[in-house]
Amino acid sequence: MTQHTLILTEEEREKLVQWSRRATSQQRLALRAHIVLLCAQNVKPLAICAKLNVSRPTVIKWRDRFQIHRLEGLVDEPRPGAPRTI
């Protein structure tokens, strides 16, 4: 298996660190940011799984989405259908 190394710009790293510190309302984004930051530090996917208590496919999914779409790939895409109402 090949190790994928992520190279981050300084702006991307700053934004990911900012996102990783998000409040509970944005925990999904914070988790994705943590995954990418760890990948950029060459932490192996299985070690990330153990550290963050996520599955390997989750790590691979967000690493790959970041490689393709960069920061925009980590943000939730709009859901189809009518917006939720409370």
Side-chain angles (χ1 to χ4, degrees):
M1 173 188 308
T2 17
Q3 180 69 22
H4 296 274
T5 304
L6 287 181
I7 307 295
L8 303 176
T9 65
E10 192 56 40
E11 293 81 20
E12 288 173 333
R13 185 175 305 279
E14 287 174 13
K15 183 58 89 174
L16 289 167
V17 168
Q18 179 185 18
W19 285 352
S20 72
R21 297 179 179 151
R22 287 273 174 126
T24 53
S25 64
Q26 291 291 322
Q27 281 301 296
R28 290 180 302 205
L29 183 58
L31 176 64
R32 296 168 192 169
H34 277 294
I35 289 169
V36 172
L37 286 167
L38 290 169
C39 287
Q41 295 169 19
N42 289 324
V43 177
K44 296 193 185 296
L46 289 178
I48 297 171
C49 295
K51 181 176 178 67
L52 300 179
N53 195 29
V54 295
S55 68
R56 188 172 185 279
T58 298
V59 172
I60 303 305
K61 172 185 178 176
W62 294 111
R63 179 197 65 201
D64 291 350
R65 272 188 62 175
F66 181 82
Q67 285 180 314
I68 295 167
H69 303 290
R70 308 310 286 181
L71 292 173
E72 294 80 24
L74 302 182
V75 180
D76 280 326
E77 296 174 354
R79 309 253 186 229
R84 280 183 171 189
T85 58
I86 298 177

